[in-house]
Amino acid sequence: SIPAPQVVSRFNRLRQDQRGLASKAAELELELNEHSLVIETLREVDPTRKCFRMVGGVLVERTVKEVLPALESNKEQVRE
């Protein structure tokens, strides 16, 4: 039989892991929603229009037609 303090300790670690996973799942869901919103907006815009995108902490200028496929790809990766 496992001593009660070890059971409690293990349970608390599992609960902490579960909370961390739930937090990450919520973060990914939010990111997915943000991607969807931006994609919907950009689909209605002139493809040659310039837009800005954050890449590795740097804001870069691109066109909508360059950014849209990358956003759709990122959205799929987040979904997976």
Side-chain angles (χ1 to χ4, degrees):
S1 167
I2 301 172
Q6 285 182 345
V7 171
V8 171
S9 176
R10 177 71 176 143
F11 173 78
N12 287 334
R13 272 183 280 156
L14 288 172
R15 183 173 16 183
Q16 186 176 5
D17 290 348
Q18 184 271 333
R19 287 179 181 157
L21 290 171
S23 176
K24 185 62 176 179
E27 178 185 326
L28 289 172
E29 187 67 31
L30 180 61
E31 190 173 334
L32 195 59
N33 290 338
E34 288 175 355
H35 274 76
S36 296
L37 180 62
V38 173
I39 288 168
E40 284 178 33
T41 302
L42 289 180
R43 283 188 179 146
E44 299 174 12
V45 175
D46 177 4
T48 61
R49 183 174 174 174
K50 71 177 169 180
C51 65
F52 296 88
R53 181 174 182 222
M54 188 71 73
V55 178
V58 178
L59 194 59
V60 295
E61 182 179 329
R62 298 284 187 259
T63 62
V64 170
K65 69 182 173 188
E66 293 171 318
V67 169
L68 196 53
L71 285 175
E72 291 169 337
S73 174
N74 287 353
K75 180 182 172 184
E76 286 306 310
Q77 289 177 0
V78 170
R79 180 177 284 140
E80 290 175 11

